[in-house]
Amino acid sequence: MPIYMWLILSCIVLQRIIELRIARSNEKWMKEHGGVEKGRDHYKWFLIVHTLFFVFLIAEALWRNNQPFQFSYSLFVLFIITQCIRIWCITTLGKFWNTKIIISPQYSIVNEGPYKFVKHPNYIIVGVELFVIPLLFHAYFTAILFPLLHIFLLFVRIPIEEKALKETKI
């Protein structure tokens, strides 16, 4: 794998670490302001799947290392677009953005930014990322497996989140 791909991968991992720190800070703020965590039992599976995503991505990319590498500018542009939308989702929710389901009934549901158009835009973006990033690295097995795992997890998470959101003020 070319060095510039290691640089891209390092940036993605760094971004995820920063997002986890933001999520932890937002979780603390939410709980200090009456927030309650819902659906705690399934969260560990998100951590496992997203950690394994990077393990599989790196392993598959290294396994294919003997093959010629062709950089795809169109996939890279699509990746950049997903990052812009991801940041839009996070900044729109502000202190309410989290990787967990934390609800505080004293606050209204956010219906602006990308949430004006789609109910769960971040989940869509993550699904696209789990497909596009592996394709960018020529990790085709990872590009199939992890979007499917993401969809499976969303079948568990979204009903829990929807039920929790109904408890908030509208």
Side-chain angles (χ1 to χ4, degrees):
M1 188 165 63
I3 192 77
Y4 61 87
M5 292 306 290
W6 283 107
L7 182 61
I8 292 170
L9 180 61
S10 297
C11 288
I12 295 168
V13 170
L14 180 62
Q15 177 190 19
R16 297 307 185 266
I17 291 168
I18 291 168
E19 287 175 2
L20 287 173
R21 292 183 114 181
I22 292 168
R24 189 175 301 131
S25 173
N26 289 349
E27 175 184 5
K28 182 180 178 199
W29 182 86
M30 284 288 293
K31 288 182 176 178
E32 288 171 354
H33 290 85
V36 177
E37 185 177 348
K38 305 286 184 172
R40 182 179 288 170
D41 294 338
H42 78 283
Y43 184 70
K44 66 179 172 253
W45 293 107
F46 272 89
L47 292 176
I48 291 168
V49 166
H50 285 267
T51 301
L52 285 176
F53 169 76
F54 287 104
V55 171
F56 273 66
L57 177 66
I58 293 167
E60 190 174 356
L62 290 175
W63 178 68
R64 295 184 174 278
N65 201 27
N66 294 337
Q67 300 172 6
F69 189 87
Q70 181 66 35
F71 185 77
S72 172
Y73 290 98
S74 57
L75 283 173
F76 187 70
V77 168
L78 183 57
F79 167 72
I80 296 298
I81 291 168
T82 62
Q83 297 318 290
C84 291
I85 298 171
R86 178 186 192 90
I87 292 167
W88 188 26
C89 291
I90 293 169
T91 56
T92 298
L93 290 178
K95 287 284 190 188
F96 302 107
W97 179 80
N98 210 298
T99 57
K100 297 179 180 178
I101 301 171
I102 302 176
I103 302 298
S104 186
Q106 67 201 41
Y107 297 103
S108 298
I109 295 173
V110 175
N111 288 319
E112 52 193 42
Y115 299 89
K116 181 173 27 176
F117 307 106
V118 180
K119 205 163 196 176
H120 299 285
N122 196 59
Y123 296 150
I124 296 168
I125 290 302
V126 170
V128 172
E129 285 176 334
L130 292 174
F131 183 68
V132 170
I133 293 170
L135 290 180
L136 194 59
F137 285 81
H138 301 256
Y140 304 111
F141 177 76
T142 304
I144 294 168
L145 177 62
F146 284 88
L148 291 173
L149 290 173
H150 177 68
I151 290 167
F152 177 75
L153 287 173
L154 292 181
F155 276 115
V156 174
R157 184 176 180 110
I158 288 176
I160 295 168
E161 189 168 344
E162 285 298 314
K163 183 180 177 199
L165 287 171
K166 286 180 184 176
E167 297 172 8
T168 64
K169 284 191 206 177
I170 295 177

